[in-house]
Amino acid sequence: MTSKTALPLRPAALRLGVNIDHVATIRNARGGLHPDPVRAARQAAEAGADGITAHLREDRRHISDRDIERLVAEVDRPLNLEMAATDEMLAIALRHKPHAACLVPERRAERTTEGGLDAAGQQDALMPVVAALRDAGIRVSLFIEADRRQLAAAVALGAPVVELHTGAWCEAMLEDPAGAAAARHLERLVTGAALAADLGLECHAGHGLTFDTVGAIAALPTIAELNIGHFLVGEAIFGGLDSAIRRMRALMDRARATAGGQRSA
Ligand code: PXP
């Protein structure tokens, strides 16, 4: 007899990319070799990271060229290279051929990546960079705001992946988790993640995520990957990197499993 009971929909797997930039920030504060971001990447892999993310900035304020070389050669996890869409960075990406390249906006004076890439306004400049990365077999992602115009531009550019910028929502959550701004930003992310999937884009998210905020984003069923760095490196000071990553992973998995349950028929 065939059971008519509908099985719960299996939510898509959710990957964790651990961004190790700020291990390099601490190393560079003294100019030596310790702490080594490659060692952190290996530990992250052991703790459950599915991938490693590193941003080679134009000013090399944290990750260095040598770090990228070593992350590709020595770490048994796919590397997601965050980079500005410049000739210099494109040449580096083509030389190292990371698994993925995430194009981010970059201004020298900013403390961190502020706001998403204006993919809609810079289509002509981005087009050859996206094409060259794709031709080299590198999975291209665009770090954008959860905005219909930007998502449509990602499709027009032929980028298979977008990463939705969660920074503004995380900041609003710090100020007032129950406030209207936080609700508005979250709604935008919810709509954007659904629209990305409708447009055939693989959807990632990241920036500013913490133990308190990761659940709401992990629960969005179309999100395939979260990239998290600063908070994990900060938490590592108190309880170790391994335990911070394991806890983040558990929070993500729990939120995703619960969301799957809610979607079951
Ligand atoms: N995703 C992208 C594209 C980023 O630029 C960053 C910051 O380097 C992150 C994710 C990670 O953000 P955070 O360090 O705040 O977790």
Side-chain angles (χ1 to χ4, degrees), residues 19 21-22 53 55 62 82 102 104 112-113 143 163 205-209 227-231:
N19 179 314
D21 290 352
H22 296 297
T53 294
H55 185 176
H62 38 55
E82 291 179 5
C102 179
V104 301
T112 180
T113 310
F143 186 46
E163 180 168 329
H207 211 284
L209 292 171
N227 285 301
I228 309 179
H230 184 268
F231 179 81

Side-chain angles (χ1 to χ4, degrees), residues 66-87:
R66 175 78 183 129
D67 292 331
I68 297 297
E69 203 178 304
R70 291 184 56 219
L71 286 167
V72 171
E74 298 176 28
V75 179
D76 176 26
R77 282 295 181 281
L79 176 67
N80 173 33
L81 174 66
E82 291 179 5
M83 53 177 267
T86 62
D87 290 346

Side-chain angles (χ1 to χ4, degrees), residues 33-48:
L33 298 175
H34 183 78
D36 177 11
V38 177
R39 180 176 164 200
R42 278 199 220 99
Q43 197 176 38
E46 277 168 27

